[in-house]
Amino acid sequence: MIAEPNTASNLPSQKESAVHDETAPESAVQNGSSVRNGNLKTPREKRKVREQCENIRRNSSSSRRVSQLQNGEVVEAVTLFEVVSMGKRAMQSVVDDWVQAYKQDRNVALLDLINFFIQCSGCQGMVTAEMFQSLHKKDVMRKMTETFDEETGLQYKKFMAYPWILTVTWPVDTDNKDYPLIRTGPYWKKFKANFCEFIAVLVQQCQCSILYDSYLMDTIISLLTGLADSVVRAFRHTSTLAAMKLLTAVVSVHLNLDVNKHNAERLYEVEKKRISGKRTNYRLDQLERKREEYERKLLEIQNMMNAIFKGTFLNRYRDVIPEIRATCIEEIGSWIKTYPDGFLNDSYLKYIGWMLYDKQAEVRLKCLLGLQGIYSRKELVSRMDLFTSRFKDRIVSMPLDKDHEVAVQAMKLLMLMSQNCGDVLSTEDCETLYQFVYTTHRPLAVAAGEFLYKRLLSHEGDEEVQPEGGGKFGASTDRLKRLISFFLESELHKHVAYLIDSLWDWAGKFLKDWECMTTLLLKNAEEGGEALSDAHESVLIEIILATVREAAEGHPPVGRGAAKKILSVKEKKIQLEDCTKITEHFIMVLPQLLAKYSTDAQKVANLLQIPQYYDLDVYRMGHLRKHLDALLREVKDIVAKHSDMSVLEASSRTYYILCSEEIAIYSQVDRARTQLIDELMGQLNQLLDGFWQKEEGFCTDAGEVSQMHSALRRVAAFHNAHDLTKWNLYDKTLRLLVFEMEHGSLPVLMTLPALQCMYFSLLWQLAAVSENSPKETLFTLRRELRCFSRICVCFLHHKEKDVREKAFMILCDWLLILSHQDSNNNEEAVGLLDYLPSASLQEKLLLFIQEHVFMEEEEESKDLTEEEERKDESGKLDDLHKKRSLLAAYCKLIVYNVVEMSAAAEIYKYYVKTYNDFGDIIKETLSKTRHNNKIQSTKTLILCLQQLFQTHAESQDSSSSVDFYSASFTNMKELARRFSLTFGWDQVKSRESVAMIHKYAYLQRYIAEPLPCRGDEWQPLIWYRNSLLANEDEESSVLSSSGELSPMGTSKMSSFKRKLSNGSLPVTSQTEAEDKAPDLQCSSQLASAAGKRRKRLKSREMHLQEHLPFLCPGGLPRRCCKGEIKTEDVSKKGQAEDTTEDVDVDVVSADQVIPARVFQL
C-alpha cells in the first residue's frame, strides 16, 4: 500500500481494514502496509514503520463499498483492485465514485489509483511515496534505480510518478512467479477483461473534465512508464497492458474531439457567412473559443499519445516476454484501424512488418489479425503500397507456418489482399497458394478453398453469362471445366476428395449440381458443344463420387480431421435431403452411365460406389423398379467383362448394399445375385474339370490360365462379401493348393486367388459356428483350419515373392482371428478351434520379417532415362508400401499377445536404422506393448540392447577391449536414447519400469556369471543389498534418523521398498547386511515365494526365454545367426534359475527422482 506524501502529512489518515477471506486475492490481503524510504533491518523496525505509514482511504470509499457472496460469506470490496478483481458489473459507477473523489482531493485519489496499478501487478510488498521537490535533473535520474538489498532480501524499485517519487519494495522469492494477469481459476478468469474495461471507462468518464488538468494523465503515464522499465515481469506485463489500453482509449477521445472540432468549424463558417456585414457577434466569438479549445485539447491528447508510444511501446514491442510483444502488436493494429489518419503510415506499419518474423506464434498471429483489419477496408489499402511490396513475400510464405492458426490467418489475409489489392499477387504466388487445398489440416484447406473458389472458379456475372451450347447449365458447366482443368494441371496431388472437401463450405450449392455433372457426361459431341476428353471424364466421375460421399456422410475424408463430427439437427436434415436427392437422381442416371463406360475399369469402379450412399427406402415407389432391373443388368454385364479386382469388389459391394433384408427389394436383388453366382461357379467348375482332365495335371496355355485367373478372382471378390459355403469352394481350392505344394507348377495367377478363396471360405464357416453346433462339425472345421495353416506356412518359402507375401499376410490375420475368437459364447467351440502359434512358427514369422522387410536389396547401377527413373521410383514406393504392410501385420501379433513380446526385441533393433520407413510402426508397437505390460515391455527393450551389445562385443578382436567409439556402438547409444524418450516425463507412470531397469543393471553389475543359491541364501541378492548400503552418505540420506534399523520383518523404511511378486521381502538390519550373515527367516520366505513363482512360470506370459538373458548374460548360448529366438529347456536345472526369477527387488522409493535416461550408455 502507499503511504501519504511528505507534503500531505496534514491529510486525514485512517487505517484500512483488510479483508481476510479464503477467496480474496493474496495481494489484496497481504498488501496492507507500507514503509517510507530507508532500510528495513529488524522486525521491530518494520512493525514501527508500518504503524506510522498506514494507507489512506479516500473519503468516498463508503459509497464505492460493494459486496459479493462467495462460499456462503459476504466479501466486501473496498479498494479499486478488489472491485475489479471481483468482476463487478457496474464499472461505470465505480469510476464515477473515483472521479468524484479526485475532484475533492486529487492527491489522495491519485494515490489510490497508483496503489491499484501496483496491486494489479501482484505486488505483495509495500509502496512509499515522497513528494517531488525541485531536485536537480541528475539527482532525479540517480533516484530512478532498481536494486537488491542482500541484508533484508528485498527488491527495491524507485521511479518517478509525477509529482511523486515512488519506492516499491517486494520479496525477491515472489518475483515473476504469479500475478493476476496470468493466474488461473474462476476468480481470475475475467480479471484481464475487467482491468482493460476499467481503464477504458476511466478515460471515457474523464474526457470532459479532469483529463486535461495536466496532473492526472502526467502521473498515470509516468507511473506506467516507470513500471514498464522494471526487470520484474509482473510489473512490465501489467503496466504495458495498461499503457496500451490507455493509449487505445485516448485514441477514441482524439477521434471524438476531431469530430467535435470539425462540427465547430462548420458552424463557425456558417455563422461567419450569415453575419458578414456585422463587425462583432457573440455567437461567432463563442464558436471561435470552442474551436480553439478543441485544438488545445487535441494538442494535449496528441502529446499524451506520443508520450505513451515513445515511453512504453518503443521499449516493449521487442520485450523478451512474448505476451508483452503480442499485446503491443495487437494494440497498434487497433490504433491503425481506428485512427488511420494518425497511424496509417510507414512509421508505424514497420513494427507490424518486423514482428511478422517473430519466433513466437502468438506474436505472428497478432500481426496477421491486425493486418486483416487494415486490408479488409479498400479505402486504406491504397496507402499500404510500400508495406505490401516490402512484406508480401513474407506473408505469402506464412501459410507454411508450423503453427496451424498462424497458417490459417495468413491464408485469410492473402484472400483479402487478393480481393482489395488488385494484381498484387502474381500467378506463381496464386498457384502456390492453390495447392494448400490438399493439406491435411482442414481449417487451412478450407481457407485455401475460399481463395481458390473466389480467385479461379467464381467470377462476377457467371450466373448471367450463358456460354454457347451451355443450355441451362452454362455457368455451372464453365465452373466445372475450370475445376477439372485445375485438378489436371496440379500434377503433384491426386486426391479429389481433399479438393472437394476444401471447396465444400464455399461452393456447396455448385458441387451438389449432380444433374449438370451427369448431363455433361452423357452429352455426345454430335449434340453440339465441346465434348470432354477421356481424362476430363475420369476426373469428373471422381468429383461426382467425392461430392456424393461428402453430402451423404457429412464429415471430412480420412486423414483430414481427428474424428467424425457430431451433426446438428439442421445439418442432419440437410444430409437426409441430400441423400434423397442423390437417390432419386442416380437411380435413373447411373444405369446409363454404367452402360456408356462399361469397358473402362477405372470409371466403372468409381460409379459402382455411388449406390452405397442411396436411401434405399426410395425404391418402395413402384415406378422405380424398372431402373433397379436396369442397374442389376449393367452390374452383371460388368462382372462378366472385367477381372480387375477394384471393379469386382465394387460390384460385390453393390449387391451387398442392395441385398439388405429390411428393404422391399431384397427378394428381387437376392434372386439376381444367386443367378450371377451360379453362372460364375458354373464357369469355374467347367474350367477346373478341364484342368484336372489333362494328363500332366497342369495347363500351359496362356488363354486357359487367364480364364482360370479371371474366374477365381470373380469368385474371391464375391466370397469376400457373400457367403458361398453351399457351393463348396473349400474342396475345390484345397485341391489346387495341395497340387501346388506337391508339384510347384501351378501358375501364380491361379495360386493367389485360390489362396484367397480358401481363406474366405474358412472365415464364413468360422462365423457360422453357433452355440448348438455339433462336435462333428467343430472337429471337421478344426481339421480344415490346421490344414490351411500348414499350407500358408509352406507358402512362406514359395519361389514367387507375391505368393510369399500373400501367404504371410493371410497367416498373420488368420492367427489373430483364431486367438481372439468368441464363437457366439460357445466355450467348447473356442477350446477346439483355438490356435496359438508354436515356437517354431514364431521363429519362421520373425525370420520372414527380417529377410523380406529389413534386409536391403542390392541395387545395380544403371543408366536410366527420365521415364525409366520415374517408373523405378514408383516401383520402390510400391515395394515400401508392401513392406510396411508386412511389418504392421506382424506387429499386430505382438501387440495382441499372439506371439511372445520378447520377439519385438528383433524389431526394435532396426528402429533407428529404418526410422524414415518404419519408425512410426515400431514406435506405435512400443507404445501399445508398454500399455499392455509395462514390465515385460521394458524387459524387451533391455533384451534388445543386450543382444546388440553382445553382437558388438563379439565383432571386436578378442585381444582388444570393446571399442566405445565405433559406429555400431554409437548407433546403439542413439537407440538407447530413443528408448528413454518413450518413457515420457511423467515419472510416476514410468517409475515401475525404470525401477526394474535399475534392478537388472545392479544385478548384472555384480554377477560375473550365473550363481546358484548358496545354502539358504540367494547370493546375488546379498551382493545387491550390500552394494546399496556400502556408501554411508547415501545411507544417511535414505535411512531414518534412528541409529540402527529395527529387526527383520518389523522394520519400516520410507526410502527403501523391497518387493516380491507374491509378497514382501523382509529387510535385514545394517549389521547383518555388512557381515553378510545368513538369515533363516529371509531364506524361508524366499523359498516360499520361489515355489509360488515356479507355478506361474508355466504360463505363456512368463516364458523362460524372456528372463534368462537378463539374469545370466554369460551363461546362455548366443542367438542364432538369423536372429531367431532360441532357448534351452531349463526345467531340470534346479532352483538356480527359478529362485533367481523369484526375486523382484525394487529399492527405489516413491519420493526418489529416477531419471528417464537410464538407457544412455
PDB file of all heavy atoms in Angstrom, residues 161-184:
ATOM      1  N   ALA A 161       6.618   9.080 -10.530  1.00  0.00           N
ATOM      2  CA  ALA A 161       5.233   9.172 -10.971  1.00  0.00           C
ATOM      3  C   ALA A 161       4.786  10.582 -10.588  1.00  0.00           C
ATOM      4  O   ALA A 161       4.238  10.812  -9.515  1.00  0.00           O
ATOM      5  CB  ALA A 161       4.366   8.121 -10.302  1.00  0.00           C
ATOM      6  N   TYR A 162       5.115  11.514 -11.471  1.00  0.00           N
ATOM      7  CA  TYR A 162       4.983  12.938 -11.161  1.00  0.00           C
ATOM      8  C   TYR A 162       3.621  13.224 -10.541  1.00  0.00           C
ATOM      9  O   TYR A 162       2.599  12.781 -11.070  1.00  0.00           O
ATOM     10  CB  TYR A 162       5.186  13.762 -12.424  1.00  0.00           C
ATOM     11  CG  TYR A 162       5.220  15.258 -12.178  1.00  0.00           C
ATOM     12  CD1 TYR A 162       6.414  15.866 -11.798  1.00  0.00           C
ATOM     13  CD2 TYR A 162       4.074  16.029 -12.301  1.00  0.00           C
ATOM     14  CE1 TYR A 162       6.447  17.224 -11.558  1.00  0.00           C
ATOM     15  CE2 TYR A 162       4.105  17.380 -12.054  1.00  0.00           C
ATOM     16  CZ  TYR A 162       5.293  17.977 -11.682  1.00  0.00           C
ATOM     17  OH  TYR A 162       5.343  19.317 -11.442  1.00  0.00           O
ATOM     18  N   PRO A 163       3.524  13.923  -9.399  1.00  0.00           N
ATOM     19  CA  PRO A 163       4.584  14.695  -8.726  1.00  0.00           C
ATOM     20  C   PRO A 163       5.262  13.944  -7.588  1.00  0.00           C
ATOM     21  O   PRO A 163       5.707  14.564  -6.646  1.00  0.00           O
ATOM     22  CB  PRO A 163       3.805  15.879  -8.188  1.00  0.00           C
ATOM     23  CG  PRO A 163       2.481  15.277  -7.811  1.00  0.00           C
ATOM     24  CD  PRO A 163       2.211  14.204  -8.816  1.00  0.00           C
ATOM     25  N   TRP A 164       5.267  12.609  -7.632  1.00  0.00           N
ATOM     26  CA  TRP A 164       5.895  11.858  -6.560  1.00  0.00           C
ATOM     27  C   TRP A 164       7.027  11.003  -7.097  1.00  0.00           C
ATOM     28  O   TRP A 164       7.094  10.687  -8.275  1.00  0.00           O
ATOM     29  CB  TRP A 164       4.877  10.923  -5.873  1.00  0.00           C
ATOM     30  CG  TRP A 164       3.773  11.642  -5.191  1.00  0.00           C
ATOM     31  CD1 TRP A 164       3.844  12.416  -4.080  1.00  0.00           C
ATOM     32  CD2 TRP A 164       2.400  11.657  -5.588  1.00  0.00           C
ATOM     33  NE1 TRP A 164       2.615  12.921  -3.729  1.00  0.00           N
ATOM     34  CE2 TRP A 164       1.689  12.457  -4.662  1.00  0.00           C
ATOM     35  CE3 TRP A 164       1.679  11.070  -6.626  1.00  0.00           C
ATOM     36  CZ2 TRP A 164       0.330  12.685  -4.730  1.00  0.00           C
ATOM     37  CZ3 TRP A 164       0.331  11.297  -6.691  1.00  0.00           C
ATOM     38  CH2 TRP A 164      -0.329  12.101  -5.768  1.00  0.00           C
ATOM     39  N   ILE A 165       7.872  10.618  -6.171  1.00  0.00           N
ATOM     40  CA  ILE A 165       8.861   9.573  -6.443  1.00  0.00           C
ATOM     41  C   ILE A 165       8.431   8.358  -5.622  1.00  0.00           C
ATOM     42  O   ILE A 165       8.366   8.414  -4.396  1.00  0.00           O
ATOM     43  CB  ILE A 165      10.283  10.007  -6.056  1.00  0.00           C
ATOM     44  CG1 ILE A 165      10.715  11.199  -6.918  1.00  0.00           C
ATOM     45  CG2 ILE A 165      11.249   8.848  -6.209  1.00  0.00           C
ATOM     46  CD1 ILE A 165      12.077  11.735  -6.551  1.00  0.00           C
ATOM     47  N   LEU A 166       8.114   7.265  -6.305  1.00  0.00           N
ATOM     48  CA  LEU A 166       7.586   6.070  -5.655  1.00  0.00           C
ATOM     49  C   LEU A 166       8.704   5.065  -5.411  1.00  0.00           C
ATOM     50  O   LEU A 166       9.610   4.920  -6.228  1.00  0.00           O
ATOM     51  CB  LEU A 166       6.504   5.420  -6.517  1.00  0.00           C
ATOM     52  CG  LEU A 166       5.269   6.283  -6.822  1.00  0.00           C
ATOM     53  CD1 LEU A 166       4.299   5.504  -7.693  1.00  0.00           C
ATOM     54  CD2 LEU A 166       4.600   6.745  -5.543  1.00  0.00           C
ATOM     55  N   THR A 167       8.628   4.383  -4.303  1.00  0.00           N
ATOM     56  CA  THR A 167       9.537   3.295  -3.981  1.00  0.00           C
ATOM     57  C   THR A 167       8.703   2.054  -3.712  1.00  0.00           C
ATOM     58  O   THR A 167       7.908   2.031  -2.774  1.00  0.00           O
ATOM     59  CB  THR A 167      10.396   3.619  -2.752  1.00  0.00           C
ATOM     60  OG1 THR A 167      11.116   4.825  -2.992  1.00  0.00           O
ATOM     61  CG2 THR A 167      11.373   2.482  -2.464  1.00  0.00           C
ATOM     62  N   VAL A 168       8.887   1.027  -4.527  1.00  0.00           N
ATOM     63  CA  VAL A 168       8.159  -0.234  -4.373  1.00  0.00           C
ATOM     64  C   VAL A 168       9.113  -1.261  -3.795  1.00  0.00           C
ATOM     65  O   VAL A 168      10.231  -1.436  -4.287  1.00  0.00           O
ATOM     66  CB  VAL A 168       7.602  -0.730  -5.729  1.00  0.00           C
ATOM     67  CG1 VAL A 168       6.764  -1.977  -5.541  1.00  0.00           C
ATOM     68  CG2 VAL A 168       6.780   0.376  -6.383  1.00  0.00           C
ATOM     69  N   THR A 169       8.692  -1.942  -2.759  1.00  0.00           N
ATOM     70  CA  THR A 169       9.507  -2.944  -2.090  1.00  0.00           C
ATOM     71  C   THR A 169       8.753  -4.264  -2.082  1.00  0.00           C
ATOM     72  O   THR A 169       7.574  -4.301  -1.722  1.00  0.00           O
ATOM     73  CB  THR A 169       9.802  -2.528  -0.636  1.00  0.00           C
ATOM     74  OG1 THR A 169      10.328  -1.203  -0.629  1.00  0.00           O
ATOM     75  CG2 THR A 169      10.792  -3.491   0.005  1.00  0.00           C
ATOM     76  N   TRP A 170       9.430  -5.330  -2.488  1.00  0.00           N
ATOM     77  CA  TRP A 170       8.761  -6.638  -2.516  1.00  0.00           C
ATOM     78  C   TRP A 170       9.776  -7.741  -2.293  1.00  0.00           C
ATOM     79  O   TRP A 170      10.958  -7.586  -2.597  1.00  0.00           O
ATOM     80  CB  TRP A 170       8.033  -6.816  -3.844  1.00  0.00           C
ATOM     81  CG  TRP A 170       8.923  -7.020  -5.034  1.00  0.00           C
ATOM     82  CD1 TRP A 170       9.324  -8.187  -5.579  1.00  0.00           C
ATOM     83  CD2 TRP A 170       9.534  -5.973  -5.813  1.00  0.00           C
ATOM     84  NE1 TRP A 170      10.132  -7.963  -6.644  1.00  0.00           N
ATOM     85  CE2 TRP A 170      10.280  -6.607  -6.825  1.00  0.00           C
ATOM     86  CE3 TRP A 170       9.534  -4.574  -5.758  1.00  0.00           C
ATOM     87  CZ2 TRP A 170      11.005  -5.908  -7.764  1.00  0.00           C
ATOM     88  CZ3 TRP A 170      10.246  -3.874  -6.695  1.00  0.00           C
ATOM     89  CH2 TRP A 170      10.974  -4.534  -7.684  1.00  0.00           C
ATOM     90  N   PRO A 171       9.340  -8.880  -1.779  1.00  0.00           N
ATOM     91  CA  PRO A 171      10.257 -10.018  -1.582  1.00  0.00           C
ATOM     92  C   PRO A 171      10.701 -10.587  -2.918  1.00  0.00           C
ATOM     93  O   PRO A 171       9.920 -10.688  -3.857  1.00  0.00           O
ATOM     94  CB  PRO A 171       9.407 -11.043  -0.807  1.00  0.00           C
ATOM     95  CG  PRO A 171       8.257 -10.268  -0.270  1.00  0.00           C
ATOM     96  CD  PRO A 171       8.020  -9.139  -1.224  1.00  0.00           C
ATOM     97  N   VAL A 172      11.959 -11.003  -2.990  1.00  0.00           N
ATOM     98  CA  VAL A 172      12.509 -11.497  -4.243  1.00  0.00           C
ATOM     99  C   VAL A 172      11.922 -12.848  -4.609  1.00  0.00           C
ATOM    100  O   VAL A 172      11.731 -13.172  -5.776  1.00  0.00           O
ATOM    101  CB  VAL A 172      14.040 -11.592  -4.146  1.00  0.00           C
ATOM    102  CG1 VAL A 172      14.637 -12.182  -5.420  1.00  0.00           C
ATOM    103  CG2 VAL A 172      14.616 -10.205  -3.901  1.00  0.00           C
ATOM    104  N   ASP A 173      11.585 -13.675  -3.615  1.00  0.00           N
ATOM    105  CA  ASP A 173      11.138 -15.028  -3.918  1.00  0.00           C
ATOM    106  C   ASP A 173       9.784 -15.059  -4.600  1.00  0.00           C
ATOM    107  O   ASP A 173       9.361 -16.088  -5.112  1.00  0.00           O
ATOM    108  CB  ASP A 173      11.094 -15.872  -2.648  1.00  0.00           C
ATOM    109  CG  ASP A 173      10.210 -15.239  -1.579  1.00  0.00           C
ATOM    110  OD1 ASP A 173       9.730 -14.123  -1.807  1.00  0.00           O
ATOM    111  OD2 ASP A 173      10.020 -15.876  -0.517  1.00  0.00           O
ATOM    112  N   THR A 174       9.051 -13.940  -4.602  1.00  0.00           N
ATOM    113  CA  THR A 174       7.764 -13.898  -5.308  1.00  0.00           C
ATOM    114  C   THR A 174       7.889 -13.274  -6.682  1.00  0.00           C
ATOM    115  O   THR A 174       6.894 -13.074  -7.363  1.00  0.00           O
ATOM    116  CB  THR A 174       6.750 -13.081  -4.482  1.00  0.00           C
ATOM    117  OG1 THR A 174       7.239 -11.738  -4.341  1.00  0.00           O
ATOM    118  CG2 THR A 174       6.539 -13.717  -3.123  1.00  0.00           C
ATOM    119  N   ASP A 175       9.089 -12.983  -7.085  1.00  0.00           N
ATOM    120  CA  ASP A 175       9.318 -12.306  -8.357  1.00  0.00           C
ATOM    121  C   ASP A 175       8.945 -13.218  -9.534  1.00  0.00           C
ATOM    122  O   ASP A 175       9.415 -14.346  -9.630  1.00  0.00           O
ATOM    123  CB  ASP A 175      10.790 -11.897  -8.447  1.00  0.00           C
ATOM    124  CG  ASP A 175      11.083 -11.143  -9.725  1.00  0.00           C
ATOM    125  OD1 ASP A 175      10.118 -10.662 -10.343  1.00  0.00           O
ATOM    126  OD2 ASP A 175      12.263 -11.044 -10.091  1.00  0.00           O
ATOM    127  N   ASN A 176       8.095 -12.722 -10.427  1.00  0.00           N
ATOM    128  CA  ASN A 176       7.777 -13.388 -11.691  1.00  0.00           C
ATOM    129  C   ASN A 176       7.029 -14.704 -11.530  1.00  0.00           C
ATOM    130  O   ASN A 176       6.820 -15.406 -12.511  1.00  0.00           O
ATOM    131  CB  ASN A 176       9.043 -13.659 -12.518  1.00  0.00           C
ATOM    132  CG  ASN A 176       9.670 -12.383 -13.022  1.00  0.00           C
ATOM    133  OD1 ASN A 176       9.004 -11.363 -13.100  1.00  0.00           O
ATOM    134  ND2 ASN A 176      10.945 -12.461 -13.353  1.00  0.00           N
ATOM    135  N   LYS A 177       6.646 -15.069 -10.322  1.00  0.00           N
ATOM    136  CA  LYS A 177       6.032 -16.374 -10.141  1.00  0.00           C
ATOM    137  C   LYS A 177       4.555 -16.356 -10.497  1.00  0.00           C
ATOM    138  O   LYS A 177       4.073 -17.216 -11.218  1.00  0.00           O
ATOM    139  CB  LYS A 177       6.213 -16.850  -8.686  1.00  0.00           C
ATOM    140  CG  LYS A 177       7.669 -17.007  -8.278  1.00  0.00           C
ATOM    141  CD  LYS A 177       8.365 -18.053  -9.110  1.00  0.00           C
ATOM    142  CE  LYS A 177       9.809 -18.229  -8.670  1.00  0.00           C
ATOM    143  NZ  LYS A 177      10.534 -19.189  -9.509  1.00  0.00           N
ATOM    144  N   ASP A 178       3.846 -15.378  -9.954  1.00  0.00           N
ATOM    145  CA  ASP A 178       2.399 -15.381 -10.126  1.00  0.00           C
ATOM    146  C   ASP A 178       1.888 -13.964  -9.954  1.00  0.00           C
ATOM    147  O   ASP A 178       2.279 -13.265  -9.022  1.00  0.00           O
ATOM    148  CB  ASP A 178       1.766 -16.319  -9.090  1.00  0.00           C
ATOM    149  CG  ASP A 178       0.275 -16.472  -9.320  1.00  0.00           C
ATOM    150  OD1 ASP A 178      -0.159 -16.257 -10.462  1.00  0.00           O
ATOM    151  OD2 ASP A 178      -0.446 -16.814  -8.361  1.00  0.00           O
ATOM    152  N   TYR A 179       1.016 -13.563 -10.846  1.00  0.00           N
ATOM    153  CA  TYR A 179       0.381 -12.250 -10.740  1.00  0.00           C
ATOM    154  C   TYR A 179      -0.967 -12.333 -11.440  1.00  0.00           C
ATOM    155  O   TYR A 179      -1.232 -13.261 -12.228  1.00  0.00           O
ATOM    156  CB  TYR A 179       1.258 -11.142 -11.312  1.00  0.00           C
ATOM    157  CG  TYR A 179       1.757 -11.355 -12.717  1.00  0.00           C
ATOM    158  CD1 TYR A 179       1.098 -10.797 -13.810  1.00  0.00           C
ATOM    159  CD2 TYR A 179       2.911 -12.099 -12.959  1.00  0.00           C
ATOM    160  CE1 TYR A 179       1.565 -10.972 -15.107  1.00  0.00           C
ATOM    161  CE2 TYR A 179       3.383 -12.283 -14.247  1.00  0.00           C
ATOM    162  CZ  TYR A 179       2.707 -11.717 -15.304  1.00  0.00           C
ATOM    163  OH  TYR A 179       3.165 -11.895 -16.581  1.00  0.00           O
ATOM    164  N   PRO A 180      -1.879 -11.407 -11.152  1.00  0.00           N
ATOM    165  CA  PRO A 180      -3.277 -11.573 -11.584  1.00  0.00           C
ATOM    166  C   PRO A 180      -3.471 -11.845 -13.066  1.00  0.00           C
ATOM    167  O   PRO A 180      -4.365 -12.609 -13.432  1.00  0.00           O
ATOM    168  CB  PRO A 180      -3.915 -10.244 -11.173  1.00  0.00           C
ATOM    169  CG  PRO A 180      -3.123  -9.807  -9.989  1.00  0.00           C
ATOM    170  CD  PRO A 180      -1.720 -10.242 -10.258  1.00  0.00           C
ATOM    171  N   LEU A 181      -2.670 -11.264 -13.934  1.00  0.00           N
ATOM    172  CA  LEU A 181      -2.904 -11.436 -15.369  1.00  0.00           C
ATOM    173  C   LEU A 181      -2.697 -12.866 -15.840  1.00  0.00           C
ATOM    174  O   LEU A 181      -3.263 -13.272 -16.863  1.00  0.00           O
ATOM    175  CB  LEU A 181      -1.990 -10.498 -16.167  1.00  0.00           C
ATOM    176  CG  LEU A 181      -2.384  -9.025 -16.187  1.00  0.00           C
ATOM    177  CD1 LEU A 181      -1.411  -8.232 -17.037  1.00  0.00           C
ATOM    178  CD2 LEU A 181      -3.803  -8.840 -16.709  1.00  0.00           C
ATOM    179  N   ILE A 182      -1.877 -13.636 -15.143  1.00  0.00           N
ATOM    180  CA  ILE A 182      -1.597 -15.000 -15.589  1.00  0.00           C
ATOM    181  C   ILE A 182      -2.156 -16.044 -14.637  1.00  0.00           C
ATOM    182  O   ILE A 182      -1.947 -17.235 -14.840  1.00  0.00           O
ATOM    183  CB  ILE A 182      -0.082 -15.222 -15.755  1.00  0.00           C
ATOM    184  CG1 ILE A 182       0.640 -15.065 -14.416  1.00  0.00           C
ATOM    185  CG2 ILE A 182       0.497 -14.283 -16.795  1.00  0.00           C
ATOM    186  CD1 ILE A 182       2.114 -15.427 -14.475  1.00  0.00           C
ATOM    187  N   ARG A 183      -2.863 -15.623 -13.606  1.00  0.00           N
ATOM    188  CA  ARG A 183      -3.432 -16.591 -12.683  1.00  0.00           C
ATOM    189  C   ARG A 183      -4.608 -17.327 -13.327  1.00  0.00           C
ATOM    190  O   ARG A 183      -5.277 -16.782 -14.207  1.00  0.00           O
ATOM    191  CB  ARG A 183      -3.891 -15.901 -11.396  1.00  0.00           C
ATOM    192  CG  ARG A 183      -2.738 -15.480 -10.491  1.00  0.00           C
ATOM    193  CD  ARG A 183      -3.228 -14.738  -9.263  1.00  0.00           C
ATOM    194  NE  ARG A 183      -2.095 -14.220  -8.484  1.00  0.00           N
ATOM    195  CZ  ARG A 183      -2.207 -13.309  -7.538  1.00  0.00           C
ATOM    196  NH1 ARG A 183      -3.395 -12.804  -7.230  1.00  0.00           N
ATOM    197  NH2 ARG A 183      -1.135 -12.890  -6.891  1.00  0.00           N
ATOM    198  N   THR A 184      -4.813 -18.531 -12.859  1.00  0.00           N
ATOM    199  CA  THR A 184      -5.903 -19.346 -13.381  1.00  0.00           C
ATOM    200  C   THR A 184      -6.966 -19.526 -12.304  1.00  0.00           C
ATOM    201  O   THR A 184      -6.761 -19.193 -11.144  1.00  0.00           O
ATOM    202  CB  THR A 184      -5.379 -20.722 -13.824  1.00  0.00           C
ATOM    203  OG1 THR A 184      -4.736 -21.356 -12.716  1.00  0.00           O
ATOM    204  CG2 THR A 184      -4.396 -20.580 -14.978  1.00  0.00           C
TER     205      THR A 184
END
